[in-house]
Each structure stands twice: as C-alpha cells, then as structure tokens.
Amino acid sequence: EKNVYVNLDKFDFEKIREKWKNIEGFSENRYFIRINTKGLELKFFKGGKLFIKSEEFLEEKRVKTIIARYIGN
C-alpha cells in the first residue's frame, strides 16, 4: 500500500500545525495541513484523518513510525 488513511482520536491540531510549519513542503488551507518531505506527503485534516502518501510501500510498522515522528503524543 502506498496510500494510507488513519483516523486519529487523540490529537492537538494546533500543536501539530506548529510542529509542521518548520518542515519543508508545508502548506495549509482551511481543511487540512500538508507537508511534502523525504518521499512522503502527509495531509492532516482537522477532524483527525491523516492521509499518508509514500513513494514506497508502507507496512504497518512504517506507518506507526511516521505517526510517532510527525504527530507524536
């Protein structure tokens, strides 16, 4: 799978937005924030849906690593 949707129930959208603002390829609109970095495109929607698009196959372990790195706790 190169495209993955994840629904997050616990998140602080503003905190994540502040974190992502400093990452290359950041953009935003009123629906989501987005980064394009290191072969990944991440879109995080205000309702908690995270879309991950990758140049390579995404196994579950890799998805968890991406979430930990870019979303955090």
Side-chain angles (χ1 to χ4, degrees):
E1 201 60 58
K2 290 189 174 193
N3 299 328
V4 176
Y5 279 100
V6 182
N7 284 307
L8 304 173
D9 27 340
K10 292 184 179 170
F11 61 91
D12 180 338
F13 190 84
E14 276 308 308
K15 189 174 171 186
I16 295 163
R17 185 179 167 277
E18 285 302 310
K19 184 177 183 175
W20 285 19
K21 271 174 37 178
N22 302 316
I23 298 174
E24 65 175 295
F26 174 81
S27 62
E28 65 181 320
N29 63 30
R30 60 187 169 144
Y31 305 108
F32 61 80
I33 51 177
R34 173 176 35 210
I35 49 175
N36 273 300
T37 183
K38 299 176 181 156
L40 292 172
E41 177 187 5
L42 276 70
K43 280 186 196 171
F44 188 50
F45 294 83
K46 289 186 176 174
K49 184 174 277 191
L50 175 66
F51 173 68
I52 305 170
K53 184 177 179 181
S54 175
E55 293 173 358
E56 25 184 89
F57 185 81
L58 289 166
E59 2 182 288
E60 189 177 347
K61 185 178 174 187
R62 174 92 171 109
V63 171
K64 287 180 177 172
T65 303
I66 291 167
I67 291 170
R69 180 174 185 180
Y70 294 103
I71 302 295
N73 297 329

